[in-house]
Amino acid sequence: MISRPTDRGRIRHRLHEIIFEADTKAGKWFDVILIICIVSSVLVVMLDSVATFQERYGLYLLWLEWGFTLLFTAEYMLRISCVKRPLGYAASFLGVVDLLAILPTYVSLFVPGSQYLIVIRVLRVLRVFRVFKLATYIGEASTLVQALQASRKKITIFLLTILTLVIIFGSLMYLVEGPSNGFTSIPRSAYWAIVTMTTVGYGDISPKTNPGQTLASVIMILGYAIIAVPTGIVTAELGIAGQKKIVSTQVCPECMAEGHDPDAIFCKHCSARLN
Amino acid sequence: MISRPTDRGRIRHRLHEIIFEADTKAGKWFDVILIICIVSSVLVVMLDSVATFQERYGLYLLWLEWGFTLLFTAEYMLRISCVKRPLGYAASFLGVVDLLAILPTYVSLFVPGSQYLIVIRVLRVLRVFRVFKLATYIGEASTLVQALQASRKKITIFLLTILTLVIIFGSLMYLVEGPSNGFTSIPRSAYWAIVTMTTVGYGDISPKTNPGQTLASVIMILGYAIIAVPTGIVTAELGIAGQKKIVSTQVCPECMAEGHDPDAIFCKHCSARLN
Amino acid sequence: MISRPTDRGRIRHRLHEIIFEADTKAGKWFDVILIICIVSSVLVVMLDSVATFQERYGLYLLWLEWGFTLLFTAEYMLRISCVKRPLGYAASFLGVVDLLAILPTYVSLFVPGSQYLIVIRVLRVLRVFRVFKLATYIGEASTLVQALQASRKKITIFLLTILTLVIIFGSLMYLVEGPSNGFTSIPRSAYWAIVTMTTVGYGDISPKTNPGQTLASVIMILGYAIIAVPTGIVTAELGIAGQKKIVSTQVCPECMAEGHDPDAIFCKHCSARLN
Amino acid sequence: MISRPTDRGRIRHRLHEIIFEADTKAGKWFDVILIICIVSSVLVVMLDSVATFQERYGLYLLWLEWGFTLLFTAEYMLRISCVKRPLGYAASFLGVVDLLAILPTYVSLFVPGSQYLIVIRVLRVLRVFRVFKLATYIGEASTLVQALQASRKKITIFLLTILTLVIIFGSLMYLVEGPSNGFTSIPRSAYWAIVTMTTVGYGDISPKTNPGQTLASVIMILGYAIIAVPTGIVTAELGIAGQKKIVSTQVCPECMAEGHDPDAIFCKHCSARLN
């Protein structure tokens, strides 16, 4: 489309094609190698945190980590240089993730331990969807996201209700059980209430007295009943989304009836032929 | 509407507008400040229960607590004085909450420890919905409440069933495992049964013998199957509520009836042809 | 209906009315007192199992237990004597429960400890539904039972699948973790697999090695995905039941169209008046 | 169908009828005995792993195990010999299971401990469905499988999301809590994150510090909200499957098309009037 591109422009265009798209062979290979690098670098960070690996292969892991970071830095700079609006890319979600994926290694020179934050690189795997042309997957994901967005308000109310219950029940348990049974403060009791209502139940803190166990029983059954609510919300939304999809958008040219099945050839109300 | 109001009446009317409504600028500011005070006072109580904070800043926290309580007392008296029917307000849900939110501090002068009950203040945050004019949020909340009310009877039956199962399984486990394995009494075994059926599973009490673990397995799988029931109830109700919404936008041109099916040709109430 | 009943027949008829029905004042009072007795006797048994109560009030509780048992024995004999087909009653579900509710006390004379089995008396509370004329509750319960029955086959398949997975994963964990980490045998590993897949998670047995924790992660995520299945089954059945109820069974006398709303007056297809 | 079969062919045909089908009396008996053998052999393996049984009855269990294995080996060879395409059977799912069910015992001669893998025999119980002619059960199972397949993509996205969250939250907890509180490495922290998000909550690792408990609370509530998603997906799919079933019993008298809506007046395929 661009007539008479300069040499630099042509190179930039070609680079953009390879780095940002996956339609050409070179572009696909670039993405596949990139994803292997991302997954490998996340594995390196995870292994680096294991004491026995750290002791034995610590130096190699450090070298690998810096190697991947320099690679990703080069890639980030290439991306910046070949897009038309570098700031637009840098401010986009994927652009911010790309930057966050390389920063922690450099920061770890000054703040030890922060290199583990580069596991955020795992978010870069999102690019995988483009490689395999998983358009349908993105469609399915957007259905899920839509269902969640549609139930956003209901979920907000639900979370506020949970938070209120957690604070009130936490305070009651603090009064009933007291610090000697592990309920050392209201915030810790609230933590216990969350552990209980979500049915996680570590058992690191648990009621010991009879009134405490009775109150805990009430909280548990309440949590059990409440678990039904978010499920119900999401299910209902997904059900509505599913129903909408099934009905076709065809309108009868004769009687204007709607709601025909996708495989309908004639109108079910007036027998006119549908287009 | 009130012709020739006295000065006192005018002040009361103005106060009512500020305190109870959020349409004017003053009323909105009043509510925003009130909510900040409520959240702050709840945080003060929570921090007061943490031993290290209590030791270091105990006096300041006590001052803050009394400050907030006096503030809310003044506010409560203002509310009482500017409504037309003070008793009606005092007996309403929000009125009772407002009173309960200030009482514990005074009671704590005589009964130490009861000041922690003022976390009930957190319920006052419900007023937040009015401030941000979250009418739609209230609408969503009422949909949730409706769905819960519609399934009230099913949930009552469900809870009675759970209670019966808990007592019977608790007794069986008491007989099977016995006091030496932590099942010291039937009430404690029933507590264990609740912990298990709700899938919380603290592990403070757990079966040790083979028959006990077999019985526990049955209880767990039963609890797993039973968790489906309340979810199913709420989901079905929410689904029906959702479907009802989809049903109708058509209004009959003759009798103005609503709620027609999307594929209706004639009004189901007056037989007029729908457009 | 019975003309010229003998005195004995009249008494039996009157007794039947009081004991089995709740339409007369006497019948209602009988049921209310009965339910109070049932709940009290269950509480007595539960308290009797608590060591401190047993020590202090053991004799009183024993007296109360025998008192209730003799009372229920008398009631059982009255029921037998006033129904027309005593065997029919004795073989019915409620009749068997009535018998099981009194037997354990007598058996405890020979087998110590079996008196705790009388908590089965709690099942007698089912009679409560008749007292309060909760016909609608029974209707709701039957909807639940119907939904469960309709999904009976799906649930059977589901349970067989769970059982198969539990045995296979239990054996794998036994091989991976071994007896030294608490997985002392395949049955115990299967118990652990049930505790994990139902998300109860006591923590009395938990994987310690790296491969064991990896395998456990797979089992947990699988269990998390599987929990969706029974919920989905019951919800779908309840949803279908709910939809069926909403549509009326009216048929248009003109065009025989079905599926009218319960509040429809005219047919939505041909505008004929519905009856 | 086969005219003039040789004697060998006739025997093979008869064997096939007995071993692979359950329509004749002999075939049914063969299957019933087979299933009893399968369940017994699985029980033998399970008991063999219990130390006390192993000590006392170890030799008998070994004999039984070898007996069952030889029996199943003979059965496998019979199956191979009487099917028309032995390779087709050997490569089919049930054929592979049949082979895997006998291999571990032979392998255990060289690799001790591997005999426990024969619990895979439990998969052979799948043949039970044919015996009892539970065609409807298979129908129900296929509905479940269909619903799961239809939601395959959504579940893949869901699992990738979970995996990403688990790695990121695991790393954060590793940084916040550190090895001294049990979070000894990122893989172990990720294991903890899975235990928490699936609401299993063993309690073998649990946060001790205040920021750790705060972060854990967020993870738990997130996990609580996320549990709604797979349930919603499966329920919606099952609901759609259920609705599809309700839709149609009418058959067009002209073109025999099925799947009309309950309120359809004309066939949507050929415009003929439906009865």
Side-chain angles (χ1 to χ4, degrees), chain A residues 164 167-172 186, chain B residues 41-42 45-46 104 115-123:
Chain A
T164 309
I167 290 176
I168 289 174
F169 280 125
S171 309
L172 282 175
I186 291 181
Chain B
S41 76
V42 169
V45 176
M46 289 180 77
Q115 78 269 19
Y116 297 123
L117 287 173
I118 52 175
V119 287
I120 211 163
R121 269 177 194 165
V122 84
L123 279 181

Side-chain angles (χ1 to χ4, degrees), chain C residues 142-160:
Chain C
S142 73
T143 307
L144 279 178
V145 170
Q146 262 176 39
L148 287 175
Q149 272 180 342
S151 42
R152 201 182 55 245
K153 286 180 185 173
K154 284 205 196 72
I155 286 173
T156 306
I157 294 167
F158 175 73
L159 285 181
L160 278 179

Side-chain angles (χ1 to χ4, degrees), chain C:
Chain C
M1 289 293 158
I2 304 158
S3 55
R4 282 200 203 163
T6 60
D7 270 8
R8 226 184 123 187
R10 222 183 303 142
I11 290 168
R12 211 175 74 174
H13 184 72
R14 176 90 180 115
L15 261 175
H16 186 276
E17 211 175 62
I18 293 173
I19 298 178
F20 281 91
E21 282 160 48
D23 298 319
T24 60
K25 207 169 181 180
K28 204 165 182 175
W29 271 106
F30 178 84
D31 279 347
V32 169
I33 291 167
L34 184 62
I35 282 155
I36 293 170
C37 286
I38 292 167
V39 172
S40 307
S41 76
V42 169
L43 283 177
V44 164
V45 177
M46 291 180 76
L47 289 179
D48 185 51
S49 73
V50 182
T52 50
F53 275 85
Q54 167 67 27
E55 275 166 32
R56 234 180 281 174
Y57 312 107
L59 206 67
Y60 302 102
L61 293 171
L62 192 70
W63 275 103
L64 276 170
E65 198 182 304
W66 273 101
F68 281 122
T69 302
L70 293 176
L71 205 73
F72 292 143
T73 310
E75 181 222 344
Y76 184 71
M77 283 170 177
L78 269 178
R79 278 182 194 272
I80 286 282
S81 66
C82 75
V83 286
K84 279 183 188 158
R85 293 181 304 145
L87 277 176
Y89 159 71
S92 72
F93 175 69
L94 285 175
V96 169
V97 168
D98 288 351
L99 185 62
L100 285 177
I102 51 176
L103 276 188
T105 316
Y106 296 112
V107 173
S108 72
L109 289 175
F110 312 102
V111 188
S114 61
Q115 77 271 20
Y116 298 125
L117 287 173
I118 52 174
V119 288
I120 211 162
R121 270 177 193 165
V122 83
L123 278 181
R124 297 196 68 196
V125 174
L126 286 175
R127 293 186 182 279
V128 80
F129 288 121
R130 200 187 49 222
V131 186
F132 299 115
K133 300 227 181 204
L134 300 176
T136 51
Y137 275 85
I138 291 171
E140 297 280 348
S142 73
T143 307
L144 279 178
V145 170
Q146 262 176 39
L148 287 175
Q149 272 180 342
S151 42
R152 201 182 55 245
K153 286 180 185 173
K154 284 205 196 72
I155 286 173
T156 306
I157 294 167
F158 175 73
L159 285 181
L160 278 179
T161 312
I162 291 281
L163 207 67
T164 308
L165 287 175
V166 155
I167 290 176
I168 289 175
F169 281 126
S171 309
L172 282 175
M173 284 303 281
Y174 174 69
L175 290 177
V176 168
E177 286 280 325
S180 59
N181 289 319
F183 293 79
T184 51
S185 67
I186 292 182
R188 185 141 303 193
S189 292
Y191 163 72
W192 171 86
I194 291 174
V195 169
T196 299
M197 290 192 84
T198 56
T199 76
V200 171
Y202 287 128
D204 51 350
I205 312 169
S206 66
K208 302 282 182 297
T209 65
N210 287 330
Q213 292 187 339
T214 309
L215 184 56
S217 299
V218 173
I219 297 172
M220 275 177 256
I221 288 177
L222 211 74
Y224 196 64
I226 281 174
I227 210 174
V229 174
T231 310
I233 294 167
V234 175
T235 307
E237 290 297 337
L238 278 172
I240 289 166
Q243 284 173 342
K244 274 181 192 156
K245 264 187 188 163
I246 288 174
V247 176
S248 89
T249 55
Q250 270 183 316
V251 180
C252 172
E254 293 284 322
C255 71
M256 299 298 152
E258 286 184 48
H260 301 292
D261 288 348
D263 62 343
I265 302 168
F266 296 99
C267 172
K268 63 184 176 181
H269 291 289
C270 72
S271 85
R273 176 172 279 272
L274 299 171
N275 47 333

Side-chain angles (χ1 to χ4, degrees), chain A:
Chain A
M1 290 294 155
I2 304 157
S3 54
R4 282 199 200 166
T6 60
D7 269 7
R8 224 186 125 189
R10 224 182 303 142
I11 290 167
R12 211 176 72 173
H13 183 69
R14 176 90 180 113
L15 261 177
H16 186 275
E17 212 175 61
I18 293 172
I19 298 178
F20 280 92
E21 281 159 49
D23 297 320
T24 61
K25 209 171 179 178
K28 203 164 182 176
W29 272 107
F30 179 84
D31 278 347
V32 169
I33 290 166
L34 183 64
I35 282 155
I36 293 170
C37 287
I38 293 167
V39 172
S40 307
S41 76
V42 169
L43 283 178
V44 164
V45 177
M46 289 180 76
L47 290 178
D48 186 52
S49 74
V50 181
T52 52
F53 275 87
Q54 167 67 28
E55 275 166 32
R56 235 181 281 175
Y57 313 107
L59 208 67
Y60 301 101
L61 293 170
L62 193 69
W63 275 102
L64 277 171
E65 198 183 304
W66 273 101
F68 281 123
T69 302
L70 293 176
L71 204 75
F72 292 144
T73 311
E75 181 222 341
Y76 184 71
M77 282 168 177
L78 270 177
R79 279 183 194 272
I80 285 283
S81 67
C82 76
V83 286
K84 281 183 185 156
R85 292 181 305 146
L87 276 176
Y89 160 70
S92 72
F93 176 68
L94 285 175
V96 169
V97 168
D98 287 351
L99 185 62
L100 285 177
I102 51 176
L103 276 188
T105 316
Y106 297 111
V107 174
S108 72
L109 290 175
F110 312 102
V111 187
S114 61
Q115 77 271 21
Y116 297 124
L117 286 173
I118 52 175
V119 288
I120 211 163
R121 268 176 195 166
V122 84
L123 278 182
R124 296 196 69 196
V125 174
L126 287 175
R127 292 184 184 281
V128 81
F129 287 122
R130 201 187 47 222
V131 186
F132 300 114
K133 300 228 179 206
L134 300 176
T136 50
Y137 276 85
I138 291 171
E140 297 281 345
S142 72
T143 308
L144 279 179
V145 170
Q146 263 176 38
L148 287 175
Q149 272 180 343
S151 42
R152 202 181 54 246
K153 285 181 186 173
K154 283 204 196 72
I155 286 173
T156 306
I157 293 167
F158 175 73
L159 286 181
L160 279 178
T161 312
I162 291 282
L163 206 68
T164 309
L165 287 175
V166 155
I167 290 176
I168 289 174
F169 280 125
S171 309
L172 282 175
M173 284 304 282
Y174 173 70
L175 290 177
V176 167
E177 286 280 325
S180 58
N181 289 320
F183 295 79
T184 50
S185 67
I186 291 181
R188 184 141 303 193
S189 293
Y191 162 73
W192 170 87
I194 290 173
V195 169
T196 299
M197 290 193 83
T198 56
T199 76
V200 171
Y202 288 128
D204 51 350
I205 312 168
S206 66
K208 301 284 182 296
T209 65
N210 287 330
Q213 293 187 339
T214 310
L215 184 55
S217 300
V218 172
I219 296 172
M220 275 177 253
I221 288 177
L222 211 73
Y224 197 64
I226 281 173
I227 210 173
V229 175
T231 309
I233 293 168
V234 175
T235 306
E237 291 295 339
L238 278 172
I240 289 166
Q243 284 174 341
K244 273 181 191 156
K245 265 185 187 165
I246 288 174
V247 175
S248 88
T249 54
Q250 271 182 317
V251 181
C252 172
E254 292 285 321
C255 73
M256 299 298 151
E258 287 183 48
H260 301 292
D261 288 348
D263 63 342
I265 302 169
F266 296 100
C267 171
K268 64 183 175 182
H269 291 290
C270 72
S271 85
R273 177 173 278 274
L274 299 171
N275 46 334

Side-chain angles (χ1 to χ4, degrees), chain D residues 12-188:
Chain D
R12 211 176 74 175
H13 184 71
R14 176 88 179 117
L15 261 176
H16 186 276
E17 212 175 61
I18 293 173
I19 298 177
F20 280 92
E21 282 159 48
D23 297 321
T24 60
K25 208 170 179 180
K28 204 164 182 177
W29 271 107
F30 179 84
D31 279 348
V32 168
I33 291 167
L34 183 63
I35 282 156
I36 293 169
C37 288
I38 293 167
V39 172
S40 307
S41 77
V42 169
L43 282 178
V44 164
V45 177
M46 290 180 77
L47 289 179
D48 185 52
S49 74
V50 182
T52 51
F53 275 87
Q54 167 67 28
E55 275 166 32
R56 235 182 281 175
Y57 312 108
L59 206 66
Y60 302 101
L61 293 170
L62 192 70
W63 275 103
L64 276 170
E65 199 182 304
W66 273 101
F68 282 124
T69 302
L70 293 176
L71 204 76
F72 292 145
T73 310
E75 181 222 343
Y76 184 71
M77 282 168 176
L78 270 178
R79 280 182 192 272
I80 285 283
S81 66
C82 75
V83 287
K84 281 186 187 156
R85 293 182 304 145
L87 277 176
Y89 160 70
S92 72
F93 175 68
L94 285 175
V96 170
V97 167
D98 287 351
L99 186 61
L100 286 177
I102 51 175
L103 277 188
T105 316
Y106 296 111
V107 174
S108 72
L109 289 176
F110 312 102
V111 188
S114 61
Q115 77 270 21
Y116 297 124
L117 286 173
I118 52 174
V119 288
I120 211 163
R121 270 177 194 164
V122 84
L123 278 181
R124 296 196 70 197
V125 174
L126 286 175
R127 292 184 184 280
V128 81
F129 289 123
R130 202 187 47 222
V131 186
F132 299 114
K133 299 228 182 205
L134 300 175
T136 50
Y137 274 85
I138 291 171
E140 297 282 345
S142 73
T143 307
L144 279 179
V145 170
Q146 262 177 38
L148 288 175
Q149 272 181 343
S151 42
R152 203 182 52 246
K153 286 181 185 172
K154 283 205 196 73
I155 286 173
T156 306
I157 294 167
F158 176 73
L159 285 181
L160 279 178
T161 312
I162 291 281
L163 207 68
T164 309
L165 287 176
V166 155
I167 290 176
I168 289 175
F169 280 126
S171 308
L172 283 176
M173 285 304 281
Y174 174 69
L175 290 176
V176 168
E177 285 280 324
S180 59
N181 290 319
F183 294 79
T184 51
S185 67
I186 292 182
R188 185 140 305 194

Side-chain angles (χ1 to χ4, degrees), chain B residues 199-202 231 235 243 263, chain D residues 199-202 231 235 243 263:
Chain B
T199 77
V200 171
Y202 288 128
T231 309
T235 306
Q243 283 172 342
D263 61 345
Chain D
T199 76
V200 171
Y202 288 129
T231 309
T235 307
Q243 283 173 342
D263 61 344

